[in-house]
Amino acid sequence: MTTTSAPPMGSFTLEGLKRLGPAATLPAIQHTAERASTAPLEQIAAQTSVLQGYEEETNPNNPRLSTDLLGGMGKLDQEPSPNVSDSEDEYNATPRTLTVSERRKAQNSKFSAWLSKRAAKITNEEVQAIVENANEENLSIRSLMAKQESNVIITDPREYQLELFEKAKKQNIIAVLDTGSGKTLIAVLLLKHTIDKELEDRALGKKRRISFFLVDCVTLVFQQFAVLECNLDQKIERFCGEMGCDLWIKETWAKHFAENEVIVCTAEILNQCLMHSFISIDEINLLIFDEAHHTKKNHAYARIIKDHYITQDEPAKRPKIFGMTASPVDAREDVVKAAKELEAMLHSQIATTSDLSLLRMSISRPDESLAVYRRLAYAYDTPLCSSLKAKFGDLEALTKFFKNAREATSQLGEWCADHLWRFVLDEEQALKVERKIERKFNRDPANSPVEMLDSELSRLKEAKDIVKNWTFVNPDVSGKSMSPKVLLLHQYLRLIFEKPSDAKCIIFVKHRYTARLLVQLFSRIGTPNLRLDLLIGSRTGDVGDISFSFRQQVLTLMKFKKGDINCLVATSIAEEGLDIPDCNLVIRFDLYATLIQYIQSRGRARHASSRYIHMVEENNRMHLQAVDDVRQGEAVMRNFCEALPADRLLQGNDYNLDTALVKEKSHRKYVDPETGATLTYASSLVVLAHFVGCLPHRDEDFSHKATYCMSVERKKFVCEVILPESSPIHSATGRPSSRKAIARRSAAFEACLLLRQGNHLDKNLIPTYHKSLPHMRNAHLALNMNKAHSYNMKIKPGIWERTRGSLPSELFLTILSLETPENLGRPCQPLALLTRTRLPDIPSFLLHPQVDKVSQLLCTSIATSLNVRGNVLMELNEFTLRIYHDLFNKKFEVNEPQMSYWLAPIVKSWESSRRYDPPDQLIDWALLAHISQNPEIPWIIDMPHADLLDRFLVDRWHGGTRFYSLEIKSHLGPFDPVPIGTAKAEHKQHKDSIINYTVGLWKKSREGIAWRPDQPVILAHKIHHRLNLLDEITEKEKVVNTTAYVCPEPLKISALPTTVVAMAYLFPPIIHRIESYLIALEACDLLGLVVQPTLALEAVTKDSDNTDEHRSEQIHLQRGMGKNYERLEFIGDCFLKMATSISVFCKSPEENEYDYHVKRMLMICNKNLFNTATFLKLQEYIRSTSFSRRTWYPQGIKLLEGKGHNKTGEVASQHPLGDKTIADVCEALIGAALLSHDSMDMAVKAVTALVSNPNHDVTKWEDYYLLYSLPRYQTSQPTASQLNLAMQVERVHNYRFKYPRLLRSAFIHPSYPFAEEKIPCYQRLEFLGDALLDMASISFLFHRYPDRDPQWLTEHKMAMVSNKFLAAVSVKLGFHKHLRSNGAIIESQNREYVQDLEEVEKDANGARDYWTLTKTAPKALSDIVESYIGALFVDSAFNYGEVERFFNEHIRWFFEDMNIYDTYANNHPTTYLHNLLSLSFGCTNYRIMASEVPAIVPGGLPTAIAAIMIHDEIVAEGTASSGKNAKVKASSQALKLLQTLAPFEYRHTYGCNCEGKEQDWVGKAGDGVGMAGQLRRGQLG
């Protein structure tokens, strides 16, 4: 059969299917390439299946549907039955054995094979494609640089480039060429030549060497790498400090050096590699210095030459040098002298093209002109500035701004001068000024009174209010609001951008605030075609300044290149380094300071017909002189270069390098004798800084660096370096020096020597220990979820064995009765369980005696004991053994001392109110005596028929056959045929007559026995021995026939009344459950815990092989076990986290959050819990099997008759348990201890017992506070600002802080320097508050939704503790206003989020889930809610009630109706996919699998690949940096395939024949969340 290409699945409808006719014409439906190749017969089968599925929906009565359409329905009758007594019916003998585990093994194998193929297909080209198509805002810096279009292959070198290349092949040169003249191409040609020669040398067996392309800044690492990567066919790599490679070990570097021919890196990287002896100078064949004019003083370029290049005495082993620069001069100095110094330093000769005309023909030079503006007015104070100066002129923090604002009136105009104050005293910047004041006050050694600080801060607030309320006028181009200089710039820009054009312009300014002010100004007065933006250096913004990251620089330049921006106002950052597109116009608004600034900024104007404008003041000699100086300097430099003879030797240079090095000859040097790693005065600062960075440190030491203290001795400087407290060396003192800088290096050098002597620095001068997680972190703490071992399992509680061995003098009664005895289906009377010791109060539990009939089994403990005297024990023993024999066909020896317990009948008048009656009044003594005296009721021929009714009849020869007699059938005789409709006989030959039906003997055994033909025939109820009444009746059990016809002569008529028998038949599941309770309680006793029996048993119950896999198909389900441990484990895990968090917080006040996490993880990890549990043998108490007919019988007495009587010794049992299961049970026991009492003391005790760690050794809640020592910062006198904070926070939450400084700590971001207030940041409090909030949230959900599984609870908890929600709470309470940070980016993000949240809340019309509609929230806002909760907890002396009150007042309201967050939980693609498959489609055969593959990009991270497997086929995949994210991507891909399918379409497409129940379709992921989402889409109100 051939098929055409299938239409999309979503195009099928029921009406369309009706029109398709016979199944054979149904189009094939393809969903993967593998499906497309399915054989024709399989296609026909699939088509028939889908049509039958359609018929089932439209015609459920179709007789064809009685067949097994999906291959599984016909197997119901073959399902094995659970176990009952070995002597009775074998219905439901064992749980149905599933093949899920075997199926998973096959799926794992298929996934591994697929993964191998898929990993091979992931190539660098795919990664590049991802980069090309990615949103620039979300790309990494490396990817952004790789995406630049300028990285093209250069194939046509110009003549002057070839000329310089030929020179560079022969000797070391410094190529001096204009910006944009293609110096990098010369480097590319030289690299190709060098690599070719290197390969030839290696072929001759010479030592391997590589090339280095050195740059001055991070920006150029990425730019130059991108150019080289396009133009070299050899492997290259790039490195900079921001990649975290500073402390890589030698082996890591050796790997990179061995794999690459060229390394592009910042000079400091190579300097450190040489210093650490990761590579030696003779292993380098070429050094390329970009922007070579930096090679002077202590720049890394110079240090490479001084410390490593010239120390190689053999010139042949030195690498070739190629320098590149636009000018050898970067300062106001003698051009010729500077050029000669550069030549000497680099051991090179300056070279330029011999024919400059060729260069001028190749490179566009701009037309230069002067733009003369009128004389500027003298600087003055504007009215705003005068007002501020009059009141606050003495505030030192504002001094700089008064000066800048005054200068701005002259340079920029009054409008800019006034707006400068808006930069300084807006909300964000005023906080910086305030913190600067506080920092200065805290560092003041005079210890001034706090009132002075408060007064200064109050005045600052007043100044802020003045600026805030000031009326700022709009700029006026005709008035004095702008200076002549700005007006002239305005005229130029208006002319250039009067009409739309492709023109690009850069305006160079001196100060960052000038750039900001001009952008602000021209955004108001510019033309519509002027698209202006800012480009300034990447540094943390100071007071009155803004932060501008390198990433922002790159993104700004990309917009400039694409034309989204056509004018940049830039500082010197735009002169050198950044790859800036060619411009039409460059304006020097502020003139250059050096020749190279002029040359480089002019080089930006290399577009055809471009202009370079020098803005100078009318009649300003200094301006004219500056212009003349750079033009003359350039001419001198050019003449110098042109005058250089071609064969000039370096030795002819009259500048002696030794003269430059003479000052360093007195500096000591250390060279490691083994590795050659070199420590110098200059490198010692870096080595020491690296060492300090590796030390563990507190949050208080946020800056965390070595402190250098300078003193003067005999007119020389002596420096002492003090290292942090955690350093093994506390301090070191350097040698006296005439210069502070040298004294500082000397101290660092001495410290490094001491560290090396103590082996704290290794032979490569790398710290011997790093700030890293301990050895047991992560994988070492995890357990293999699939790893299982076989362990002994307790099948009887220890209480029986401990009390056996003697005759008791007293017994304790537990009355066993049914709450609704009528549901048993026949009359019964209670039984008493008599034990040697009083049993704990056993809770009631559910029994299932009949179809749809249940009853609670009540266990009532009698208050007083029964004195055992006379024949009491004998009668009890006889009654108990009679029940075992008559009901269960087990005959035990008479051994009263070894009996574990006894049974006794209770009077029929029993009521629970009689529990305080004397026990001898409750036992039916007459019945006991009757049983003791009558082994059975003998039948005689003249026995009245009435005496045969309501009797318990036992087959003497077949122990599994028993009856209740109902009535005499006088019309039937013993030898009549068995009536139709009688229950199945034990043997087929028994059906020929009623007498043979009655006798359980085999044919040969019954020969010779003559039965009386005149005995009556009894209609009886054949007892169905379904012993596991703890479980619901199965469908098969519901149709069991119990009608029987028997004769009395062959049967034993038991002396036990049927009321006793009816209750005694319930005893096996009753004693099984009671013993399970007792074993669970013994597990708690093992830990010293007092726990409610119900919770204790729940905590140790594992009812399937995969109990811990919530919502997964259960493997080997054990029926009738009751609740399993999963919910208790869920809340226990949460309490464990909280308890250990509190303990670590108290016990380690000097450590940081990082160490807290490590210590807590070592306690709460599954591996630790597993080790503790197995040490205590806790695994033996876990209940992993349901009721068994083999193990409920008593131990201690010998079985004489019955199945198993020939076995010796006690019954032993083992069970396989996964390691994680044992750990989970530990957490469940903690949960049980928590829920068993009103206080948390027992749960605290449980945590201590199970973590077995000195970091948690308390046994009751109040002990936590006793561990806590109030730190000095908390109890110090608060400032007015801190008191004011406490007052403001109290208004939103009615709690008054005793320690305002503790509250301040909750709002201090980690970026905020400790020195400013000497209060630690919020990280430790956040660590504590996170655990407390988790506990409050989970407790709320746990108790409010008692029937929800942990998966649901976890999904919905995520909403309550999500960053997005807590950030909304932070804003609602106004906490965001109190956050103190040291980063403009943080504050900017917070402002944007607040605006977004306020807008969303306004549109939500009261919907409680409005917060779900905001964009991603800044983490700092959610952090301070958690840290506030932590501070609240500590301040209230660890009163958890305050945490709950905060939760109830500020969080609970949002989650009163959790249904509105169902979609929020489902919005996670993986969760949504699970719900779609399991709930909507009823599918159980699917898996989400993930694995890592090695990095495909050099230096990159491993890639995780995830796959969605449905019915053994992979239907979707995803790749990401982590398995978690890969699963999300794979789930999203799968949802695209599945969301539009109807259930019958899904079954057909994926061959699904699962028996899961289909439910309503779940909502579409991403549709919006709850009520607020519907409001936004206009579906409500």
Side-chain angles (χ1 to χ4, degrees), residues 809-824:
S809 59
E810 63 175 350
L811 293 173
F812 296 86
L813 275 69
T814 301
I815 308 298
L816 310 176
S817 62
L818 293 176
E819 184 179 47
T820 53
E822 62 274 12
N823 286 348
L824 184 57

Side-chain angles (χ1 to χ4, degrees), residues 1142-1208:
I1142 296 171
S1143 182
V1144 167
F1145 179 84
C1146 297
K1147 280 180 165 281
S1148 306
E1150 298 300 313
E1151 295 183 0
N1152 58 23
E1153 182 202 20
Y1154 168 87
D1155 296 310
Y1156 283 177
H1157 280 288
V1158 173
K1159 288 189 172 182
R1160 183 177 70 186
M1161 184 59 68
L1162 289 171
M1163 288 190 281
I1164 71 175
C1165 67
N1166 286 333
K1167 187 171 185 177
N1168 183 51
L1169 297 175
F1170 169 79
N1171 289 338
T1172 303
T1174 50
F1175 175 78
L1176 297 172
K1177 297 185 177 180
L1178 192 61
Q1179 70 276 5
E1180 296 182 5
Y1181 297 85
I1182 296 175
R1183 307 289 85 205
S1184 64
T1185 57
S1186 59
F1187 172 82
S1188 170
R1189 70 186 190 278
R1190 303 181 189 279
T1191 59
W1192 72 268
Y1193 297 103
Q1195 291 183 348
I1197 53 176
K1198 185 177 180 180
L1199 178 64
L1200 301 178
E1201 294 178 10
K1203 190 172 183 178
H1205 72 277
N1206 55 351
K1207 294 182 180 179
T1208 59

Side-chain angles (χ1 to χ4, degrees), residues 99-254:
T99 60
V100 178
S101 56
E102 296 173 353
R103 185 179 71 208
R104 288 192 169 199
K105 289 181 181 178
Q107 290 171 340
N108 290 340
S109 177
K110 176 172 279 192
F111 174 71
S112 298
W114 173 86
L115 182 67
S116 299
K117 295 179 181 178
R118 183 66 188 89
K121 294 180 181 179
I122 298 182
T123 61
N124 285 323
E125 288 75 14
E126 285 180 294
V127 175
Q128 184 64 32
I130 292 172
V131 170
E132 292 295 337
N133 296 323
N135 183 349
E136 293 167 357
E137 297 292 336
N138 299 324
L139 286 175
S140 66
I141 292 175
R142 177 184 292 201
S143 300
L144 283 171
M145 301 305 299
K147 193 175 179 180
Q148 297 301 299
E149 297 175 0
S150 59
N151 306 329
V152 295
I153 299 176
I154 307 170
T155 57
D156 186 21
R158 298 185 177 98
E159 187 174 334
Y160 67 87
Q161 292 170 326
L162 293 173
E163 177 189 353
L164 289 175
F165 163 57
E166 291 299 326
K167 288 183 179 180
K169 285 165 56 176
K170 301 173 183 176
Q171 65 184 74
N172 297 344
I173 68 168
I174 304 168
V176 179
L177 295 172
D178 280 352
T179 299
S181 58
K183 296 185 289 293
T184 304
L185 175 57
I186 304 174
V188 169
L189 295 173
L190 185 58
L191 281 168
K192 289 181 177 179
H193 168 77
T194 304
I195 292 172
D196 289 344
K197 187 174 184 303
E198 170 65 20
L199 295 176
E200 293 175 3
D201 289 344
R202 289 180 200 168
L204 298 175
K206 293 185 179 180
K207 183 177 180 180
R208 189 181 195 279
R209 306 171 84 192
I210 63 173
S211 305
F212 279 83
F213 193 118
L214 304 179
V215 297
D216 179 51
C217 62
V218 174
T219 318
L220 290 173
V221 171
F222 293 97
Q223 286 182 185
Q224 299 291 28
F225 170 82
V227 174
L228 296 185
E229 189 178 37
C230 289
N231 290 278
L232 294 177
D233 59 356
Q234 296 292 333
K235 194 172 182 181
I236 67 174
E237 190 50 276
R238 73 289 217 189
F239 299 108
C240 60
E242 292 186 1
M243 296 168 63
C245 56
D246 292 1
L247 293 176
W248 284 354
I249 59 176
K250 184 179 180 68
E251 288 75 15
T252 304
W253 281 113

Side-chain angles (χ1 to χ4, degrees), residues 66 101 104 129 265 320 438 611 626 651 667 794 1000 1370 1550:
S66 61
S101 56
R104 288 192 169 199
C265 63
K320 184 177 290 295
E438 290 179 345
R611 300 186 67 188
Q651 292 89 323
H667 302 170
K794 289 184 178 292
S1370 179
Y1550 296 101

Side-chain angles (χ1 to χ4, degrees), residues 534-546:
L534 188 69
L535 184 63
I536 57 179
S538 56
R539 73 181 190 202
T540 302
D542 198 357
V543 175
D545 198 0
I546 59 171

Side-chain angles (χ1 to χ4, degrees), residues 13 20 45 107 263 282 350 425 585 696 796 825 848 960 1100 1438 1549:
T13 63
L20 287 175
Q107 290 171 340
I263 301 291
D282 62 347
I350 289 177
L425 292 176
L585 178 64
K796 295 293 179 183
H848 300 262
V1100 297
F1438 289 32
T1549 306

